[in-house]
Amino acid sequence: MPSFDIVSRIDMQEVDNAVNNAKKEITTRYDLRQSRCELELDRKEGTLKILAADKMKLKAVQEILLVHLVRRKIEVKSVVFSDPEGTSQGFLKCQGTFIQGIDKDTAKKIVRMIKDSKMKVQAAIQDDQLRVTGKKIDDLQSVISLLKEEDVGIPLQFVNMKD
């Protein structure tokens, strides 16, 4: 029986490359050159730490990072920034978290969307991914096109298509 998996994954090597490119741009930008702006990635945790002198520079660093993520084909929806906080030295810090995997609420929402479409497929939640099975590959492809049209709040990839 044909099936495929719906996942939400990020290539952390591409994120690392984007962060390194953003760091290079921060050191060469005229408006950021004389101030202290730092960008640090923790690959294991999937988090980012941003330190900047003021709110304008913090926003500029975030925008630079997002531009480099898009160049590396990483969706902007996959990173969530926390609210800026003050530090003891008078700087602002912000933390970014990369979303990987499909949480239970989003998975239930996707399953509900598939069931409401009245297609002859079954969707099953498996940890942080979904498996969709059906009798025809055309039905599976229509599920993929349905999910590409809808906004579920996280980037989705469709992998492991089996005939």
Side-chain angles (χ1 to χ4, degrees):
M1 197 174 245
S3 67
F4 72 94
D5 294 334
I6 303 170
V7 296
S8 180
R9 293 184 193 143
I10 300 171
D11 185 4
M12 288 309 284
Q13 181 60 48
E14 290 296 326
V15 171
D16 193 20
N17 292 339
V19 168
N20 289 334
N21 290 339
K23 283 181 184 178
K24 286 179 188 174
E25 185 174 338
I26 288 168
T27 58
T28 59
R29 277 234 340 217
Y30 180 75
D31 58 340
L32 302 174
R33 189 178 301 157
Q34 298 298 324
S35 64
R36 183 176 170 199
C37 293
E38 295 178 5
L39 189 59
E40 185 180 320
L41 173 68
D42 184 2
R43 286 182 72 156
K44 290 184 176 135
E45 296 291 322
T47 60
L48 245 153
K49 293 178 185 164
I50 302 173
L51 184 73
D54 56 37
K55 194 167 189 155
M56 183 196 74
K57 289 180 175 68
L58 182 73
K59 188 75 173 164
V61 170
Q62 286 178 348
E63 289 175 4
I64 290 169
L65 176 68
L66 293 177
V67 165
H68 285 283
L69 287 173
V70 168
R71 285 184 189 161
R72 291 286 181 171
K73 296 184 177 33
I74 297 171
E75 292 196 38
V76 178
K77 289 189 256 182
S78 64
V79 63
V80 178
F81 292 107
S82 66
D83 292 330
E85 304 171 357
T87 63
S88 60
Q89 292 94 11
F91 294 106
L92 284 177
K93 67 178 180 178
C94 178
Q95 184 155 349
T97 307
F98 289 97
I99 301 170
Q100 293 205 57
I102 302 173
D103 60 273
K104 294 290 181 192
D105 294 333
T106 308
K108 288 178 183 178
K109 180 180 168 184
I110 293 170
V111 169
R112 176 62 41 210
M113 287 170 41
I114 292 171
K115 286 186 178 185
D116 289 345
S117 69
K118 304 287 186 201
M119 291 185 220
K120 295 184 179 182
V121 295
Q122 291 80 35
I125 300 172
Q126 297 176 342
D127 292 332
D128 61 347
Q129 67 182 17
L130 282 115
R131 167 130 330 143
V132 180
T133 57
K135 291 184 180 179
K136 299 180 191 172
I137 290 185
D138 293 339
D139 293 337
L140 299 179
Q141 290 172 341
S142 58
V143 168
I144 291 173
S145 63
L146 169 79
L147 292 175
K148 283 184 178 179
E149 291 172 7
E150 295 293 325
D151 182 29
V152 294
I154 59 172
L156 298 175
Q157 293 88 33
F158 308 100
V159 298
N160 204 14
M161 179 75 98
K162 294 182 181 174
D163 189 16

